[in-house]
Amino acid sequence: MTGSFDVTRYSRAAGEICRAGQFLYQRGWSPATSSNYSSRVSDRHVAITVSGRRKGQLTGADIMVVDLDGSPVQSDCRPSAETLLHTVIYRDRPDIGAVLHTHSVKATVLSRLVAEGEAVVLEDYELQKAFAGVDTHEGRVTVPVFANTQDMTSLAADTSRWLADNPGQPGYLIRGHGLYTWGRDMPECLRHVEAFEFLFECELETMRVRG
Amino acid sequence: MTGSFDVTRYSRAAGEICRAGQFLYQRGWSPATSSNYSSRVSDRHVAITVSGRRKGQLTGADIMVVDLDGSPVQSDCRPSAETLLHTVIYRDRPDIGAVLHTHSVKATVLSRLVAEGEAVVLEDYELQKAFAGVDTHEGRVTVPVFANTQDMTSLAADTSRWLADNPGQPGYLIRGHGLYTWGRDMPECLRHVEAFEFLFECELETMRVRG
Amino acid sequence: MTGSFDVTRYSRAAGEICRAGQFLYQRGWSPATSSNYSSRVSDRHVAITVSGRRKGQLTGADIMVVDLDGSPVQSDCRPSAETLLHTVIYRDRPDIGAVLHTHSVKATVLSRLVAEGEAVVLEDYELQKAFAGVDTHEGRVTVPVFANTQDMTSLAADTSRWLADNPGQPGYLIRGHGLYTWGRDMPECLRHVEAFEFLFECELETMRVRG
Amino acid sequence: MTGSFDVTRYSRAAGEICRAGQFLYQRGWSPATSSNYSSRVSDRHVAITVSGRRKGQLTGADIMVVDLDGSPVQSDCRPSAETLLHTVIYRDRPDIGAVLHTHSVKATVLSRLVAEGEAVVLEDYELQKAFAGVDTHEGRVTVPVFANTQDMTSLAADTSRWLADNPGQPGYLIRGHGLYTWGRDMPECLRHVEAFEFLFECELETMRVRG
């Protein structure tokens, strides 16, 4: 039913995920066994991290395939608890090739400081140009903060609705939890993580001074 | 009286401690010659760091064995002054295989900011799931802050009492001093250090902004 | 019309730029694909980074030559959008051999906190002696903050005017964007970046405490 | 008049200084060409860094010998401008084998925040035990802050007087400038730098939260 996929594309996707993990762990954005990462293998298959692995030391044995409903394909492993938050993005956005979920101190703290129902608004930063499709600092990046929950079906539906309404926005936060961002391919997605982390740190640094 | 132990298990424990030291020193959590680490060798023996060594450069020559009363076994070295704080945990909790005591800036500062008699309470953080046995962000991790003292017998008795009353809690602080945490084995114990350091940094970052 | 240049000098300049990128990226001062760097090749030619490349992984394929009007020479690549901000410095200041533009969190935040029309004033810091020609902490380094814009012709003219009026000052900021600094050669220019970043961090750290 | 010295001891001292520089630069405590380091070679000779060198890349070519008046011995190089601050320590304290002067952001900022005439007082920190001769957190480390000046003769006399009055204290600050600390040998002196940097960061972090 979910058909078959090209194993070489899978291998390449798995390799990208492992290297992304080394980078993101070293930066302190995926501590302990937190975070999960994925990369598209076909229009119906996604390579994703197995649940509970240390992200700085990923190997092929820590990656598996799921279909767009989040069910394992050719694997006995258990995918990340948050697999559905990845697969709705691949399902709703055929242009997206990679999704990264990270757990930095800055994203965690900022997401808890924002009042309920409000978003993190980034404006007048030159670095906004690092987001795909942005070519000036004069726009505005609006990052919603979803309430944290262990009910992934409901959260996946909420994020799917938001994606449909905000096709141009590059990421969202979950309160006390972390960042989700995506890109056409893994390099673009990693650039988005770097840009978000930079901008979150700028926002927090400003709040520290302004009180 | 304390019997004998398997030297291969000792060797493995010593290796784990040395590698833990490299990791913890590099992260800045064991500066100068501070901190001490241990790993269980048998039901009556613990491998532990010798007093006063630089933790980023540990070798086999910096590790020794003590029994559960903290007395050296087959060694002329002097164990860490805080050995008793380790051995009460191994004595009271047969399920515990490793104990790490670290000295980070964040743990030190946070432990001094908390009012006397109060604890650091961690809640609504997704990363709480990094602690063994926790599978939701909806619980609460309560980290007591013991007063600092050079009288280890008395502090060991206090922590033993607290452990008995709070079997599910993964660590405690000593004021102006640092963190004690433990785990089934060294990887779990290191994951606990990472999680605590992340959460302490989140708490301090929040206090900085909120004032 | 722009004449020819020595290819060995070009090669050396390109190598210096690549190594500078590794250093600056590792320090976190050139995140994502931000920043641009240049080094003089002749009295009429400048080696400069191609637009949009990751600065931590530069190779010869990411460097090109422009003339002092910012037009590509012997290249089909597109130079950085901010090339004119580099070339006016080489045109106005024959003594300058290297220009670095970086995007750190500290420079970004500080440039946004300074009131419009005001400058960042650095005084009573021993490290001011790291700037070329400064041999005491008793002077004053005044760093203007230009408004950010995507209109490079206009910004280049503004900075050129400021350079003429302030020949002794080693750098300027663009609001929400980053730092420009220069030096007789690449080592001096890198020393200026290090000194500015140190001093910006001191200023922010002070503002955090003083509120 | 200043006699001769053992070249092998000189070589060893130079090697220790170079390795100390790599460590201190990597930690961010000796940015640009700031800082200077020394190690005793005999009762009348000191190995010290040549003026203006990058401290992260020191080689034998960046080290020279001075006598206890700060005059070069067997060398045409110019010693650090602050050489006298080192040599008074070796002259007044025959037990001292190494002196390190570092320039961290934390030491710089803290030294500027302390009111004139007041000292940085460190107490109730377990890490105070990292200082030679301290075996409890219950003591008090008092770090005076000297006014910055380019007049080294006068500053050397002031620090010499303070050393005589406070033989048990391990270091002092110069306002807006940095830390001086010393030890029986280079490992002890490096341990003191680490301990001071840790404690300065704790103090600043506390001030940030408490305002």
Side-chain angles (χ1 to χ4, degrees):
Chain A
M1 182 155 160
T2 53
S4 152
F5 55 85
D6 183 308
V7 291
T8 304
R9 268 190 78 173
Y10 168 65
S11 250
R12 199 179 57 187
E16 281 181 336
I17 289 173
C18 295
R19 286 190 299 277
Q22 284 166 16
F23 174 76
L24 296 168
Y25 180 82
Q26 276 187 321
R27 302 295 285 259
W29 300 337
S30 292
T33 54
S34 74
S35 303
N36 35 73
Y37 316 137
S38 64
S39 179
R40 186 190 288 277
V41 176
S42 79
D43 56 354
R44 282 171 295 172
H45 300 89
V46 171
I48 193 163
T49 41
V50 174
S51 181
R53 303 298 164 89
R54 291 182 71 85
K55 298 308 179 294
Q57 312 169 353
L58 295 175
T59 68
D62 303 306
I63 316 293
M64 62 186 295
V65 173
V66 293
D67 63 23
L68 297 195
D69 299 321
S71 302
V73 175
Q74 294 181 231
S75 174
D76 292 333
C77 292
R78 192 161 61 90
S80 160
E82 296 173 36
T83 295
L84 281 182
L85 301 187
H86 289 251
T87 55
V88 293
I89 300 172
Y90 293 105
R91 189 194 65 199
D92 295 357
R93 292 276 303 269
D95 58 314
I96 292 305
V99 176
L100 293 168
H101 167 49
T102 51
H103 270 236
S104 72
V105 166
K106 312 297 180 195
T108 300
V109 171
L110 193 59
S111 72
R112 287 165 60 106
L113 287 170
V114 167
E116 209 166 315
E118 297 206 355
V120 175
V121 178
L122 306 166
E123 50 189 338
D124 285 328
Y125 288 107
E126 183 72 10
L127 212 83
Q128 293 167 223
K129 289 166 67 178
F131 294 117
V134 176
D135 57 9
T136 173
H137 65 284
E138 285 160 4
R140 172 182 281 204
V141 176
T142 302
V143 191
V145 183
F146 291 96
N148 199 15
T149 172
Q150 304 300 323
D151 174 355
M152 286 305 139
T153 310
S154 141
L155 184 53
D158 289 350
T159 59
S160 172
R161 238 183 329 267
W162 174 83
L163 267 175
D165 294 344
N166 298 274
Q169 296 296 334
Y172 63 80
L173 288 164
I174 306 175
R175 192 179 305 277
H177 182 154
L179 168 72
Y180 270 84
T181 186
W182 43 86
R184 200 178 44 210
D185 51 25
M186 189 59 83
E188 184 173 289
C189 192
L190 283 163
R191 201 178 74 219
H192 288 180
V193 176
E194 270 196 276
F196 271 123
E197 285 299 331
F198 180 94
L199 295 167
F200 291 159
E201 191 174 344
C202 286
E203 287 291 299
L204 271 178
E205 189 86 24
T206 304
M207 289 164 95
R208 274 183 219 146
V209 172
R210 290 211 174 128
Chain B
M1 180 158 162
T2 52
S4 153
F5 55 85
D6 183 308
V7 292
T8 304
R9 266 191 79 173
Y10 168 66
S11 249
R12 200 179 56 187
E16 280 181 337
I17 290 173
C18 295
R19 285 189 299 277
Q22 285 167 16
F23 174 77
L24 296 168
Y25 181 81
Q26 275 186 321
R27 301 295 284 260
W29 299 337
S30 292
T33 55
S34 73
S35 303
N36 35 73
Y37 318 135
S38 64
S39 178
R40 187 190 288 275
V41 176
S42 80
D43 55 354
R44 283 171 295 172
H45 300 89
V46 171
I48 192 164
T49 42
V50 174
S51 181
R53 304 298 164 91
R54 292 182 70 84
K55 297 308 178 294
Q57 313 170 352
L58 294 175
T59 69
D62 304 305
I63 316 292
M64 64 186 294
V65 173
V66 293
D67 64 22
L68 296 195
D69 298 322
S71 302
V73 176
Q74 293 180 232
S75 174
D76 293 332
C77 291
R78 192 161 61 91
S80 162
E82 296 173 36
T83 294
L84 280 182
L85 301 187
H86 291 249
T87 55
V88 292
I89 300 172
Y90 293 105
R91 189 195 64 201
D92 296 357
R93 293 276 302 269
D95 57 316
I96 292 304
V99 177
L100 293 169
H101 167 49
T102 51
H103 270 237
S104 73
V105 166
K106 312 297 180 195
T108 301
V109 172
L110 194 59
S111 71
R112 287 165 61 105
L113 287 170
V114 167
E116 209 166 315
E118 297 206 355
V120 175
V121 178
L122 305 166
E123 51 189 337
D124 285 328
Y125 287 106
E126 182 72 10
L127 213 83
Q128 294 167 222
K129 289 166 67 178
F131 294 117
V134 176
D135 57 7
T136 172
H137 66 285
E138 284 160 5
R140 175 182 278 203
V141 176
T142 302
V143 191
V145 183
F146 292 95
N148 199 14
T149 172
Q150 304 299 324
D151 175 355
M152 286 304 138
T153 309
S154 141
L155 184 52
D158 289 349
T159 59
S160 172
R161 236 182 333 263
W162 174 83
L163 267 175
D165 293 343
N166 299 272
Q169 295 295 334
Y172 63 79
L173 288 164
I174 305 175
R175 193 179 303 278
H177 183 154
L179 169 72
Y180 271 84
T181 186
W182 43 85
R184 201 178 46 210
D185 52 24
M186 188 59 82
E188 184 173 291
C189 192
L190 283 163
R191 200 178 74 218
H192 288 179
V193 176
E194 270 196 276
F196 271 124
E197 285 299 331
F198 180 94
L199 294 167
F200 292 160
E201 191 174 343
C202 286
E203 287 291 298
L204 271 179
E205 189 86 23
T206 304
M207 289 165 95
R208 275 182 218 146
V209 172
R210 290 212 174 126
Chain C
M1 182 158 162
T2 53
S4 150
F5 55 84
D6 183 309
V7 291
T8 304
R9 267 191 79 174
Y10 167 65
S11 250
R12 198 179 56 186
E16 281 180 335
I17 290 173
C18 295
R19 284 189 299 278
Q22 284 166 16
F23 173 77
L24 297 167
Y25 180 82
Q26 276 186 321
R27 302 295 284 260
W29 299 337
S30 292
T33 53
S34 74
S35 303
N36 35 74
Y37 318 136
S38 64
S39 178
R40 187 190 287 276
V41 176
S42 81
D43 56 354
R44 282 171 295 171
H45 300 89
V46 172
I48 193 164
T49 41
V50 174
S51 180
R53 303 299 164 90
R54 291 183 70 86
K55 296 309 179 294
Q57 314 170 351
L58 294 175
T59 69
D62 303 305
I63 316 292
M64 63 186 295
V65 173
V66 293
D67 63 22
L68 296 194
D69 298 322
S71 301
V73 175
Q74 294 181 231
S75 174
D76 293 333
C77 292
R78 192 161 62 91
S80 160
E82 296 172 36
T83 294
L84 280 182
L85 301 187
H86 290 249
T87 56
V88 293
I89 299 171
Y90 293 105
R91 190 194 65 201
D92 296 357
R93 294 278 302 271
D95 58 316
I96 292 304
V99 177
L100 293 169
H101 167 49
T102 50
H103 270 236
S104 73
V105 166
K106 312 295 182 197
T108 300
V109 171
L110 194 59
S111 72
R112 287 164 60 105
L113 287 170
V114 167
E116 210 167 314
E118 297 205 356
V120 175
V121 178
L122 305 166
E123 50 189 339
D124 285 329
Y125 288 106
E126 182 73 9
L127 212 83
Q128 293 167 221
K129 290 167 66 178
F131 294 116
V134 176
D135 58 7
T136 171
H137 67 284
E138 284 160 5
R140 174 182 280 204
V141 176
T142 303
V143 191
V145 182
F146 291 96
N148 198 14
T149 171
Q150 304 299 323
D151 175 355
M152 287 303 139
T153 309
S154 142
L155 184 52
D158 289 350
T159 60
S160 172
R161 235 180 335 262
W162 175 83
L163 267 175
D165 293 344
N166 298 275
Q169 295 296 332
Y172 63 80
L173 287 164
I174 306 176
R175 192 179 305 276
H177 182 152
L179 168 73
Y180 271 85
T181 186
W182 43 86
R184 200 178 46 208
D185 52 24
M186 188 59 82
E188 184 173 290
C189 192
L190 283 163
R191 200 177 75 219
H192 289 179
V193 176
E194 269 195 278
F196 272 124
E197 285 299 330
F198 180 94
L199 295 166
F200 292 159
E201 191 173 342
C202 286
E203 287 290 298
L204 271 179
E205 190 85 24
T206 305
M207 290 165 94
R208 273 184 219 146
V209 172
R210 289 210 174 129
Chain D
M1 180 156 164
T2 53
S4 149
F5 55 85
D6 184 308
V7 291
T8 303
R9 265 190 79 173
Y10 168 65
S11 250
R12 198 180 56 186
E16 280 180 336
I17 290 173
C18 295
R19 285 189 299 276
Q22 285 166 16
F23 174 76
L24 297 167
Y25 180 82
Q26 276 186 322
R27 302 294 285 259
W29 299 337
S30 291
T33 54
S34 75
S35 304
N36 36 72
Y37 317 136
S38 64
S39 178
R40 188 190 287 275
V41 176
S42 79
D43 56 354
R44 283 171 295 171
H45 301 89
V46 172
I48 193 165
T49 42
V50 174
S51 180
R53 303 299 164 89
R54 291 183 71 85
K55 297 308 178 294
Q57 313 170 352
L58 294 175
T59 69
D62 304 305
I63 316 293
M64 63 186 294
V65 173
V66 294
D67 63 22
L68 296 194
D69 300 321
S71 302
V73 176
Q74 293 181 234
S75 173
D76 293 333
C77 291
R78 192 160 62 89
S80 162
E82 297 172 36
T83 294
L84 280 182
L85 301 187
H86 290 249
T87 56
V88 293
I89 300 172
Y90 293 104
R91 189 195 65 201
D92 296 358
R93 294 277 302 271
D95 58 315
I96 293 304
V99 177
L100 293 169
H101 167 48
T102 50
H103 269 237
S104 73
V105 166
K106 312 296 181 197
T108 300
V109 171
L110 194 59
S111 71
R112 287 164 60 105
L113 287 170
V114 167
E116 210 167 314
E118 297 205 355
V120 175
V121 178
L122 304 166
E123 50 188 338
D124 285 328
Y125 288 106
E126 181 73 10
L127 212 84
Q128 293 166 222
K129 289 166 67 177
F131 294 118
V134 176
D135 58 8
T136 171
H137 66 284
E138 284 160 6
R140 174 182 282 204
V141 176
T142 302
V143 191
V145 183
F146 292 96
N148 199 15
T149 171
Q150 303 299 324
D151 175 354
M152 287 304 138
T153 309
S154 142
L155 185 52
D158 290 351
T159 59
S160 172
R161 232 177 341 258
W162 174 84
L163 266 175
D165 294 343
N166 298 272
Q169 295 296 335
Y172 62 80
L173 288 164
I174 306 175
R175 192 178 303 279
H177 182 152
L179 169 73
Y180 270 84
T181 186
W182 43 86
R184 201 178 46 208
D185 52 24
M186 188 59 81
E188 183 173 292
C189 192
L190 283 163
R191 199 177 76 219
H192 288 179
V193 176
E194 269 195 277
F196 271 124
E197 286 298 330
F198 180 94
L199 294 167
F200 292 160
E201 191 173 343
C202 286
E203 287 291 299
L204 271 179
E205 190 86 23
T206 304
M207 290 165 94
R208 273 183 220 146
V209 172
R210 289 209 175 131

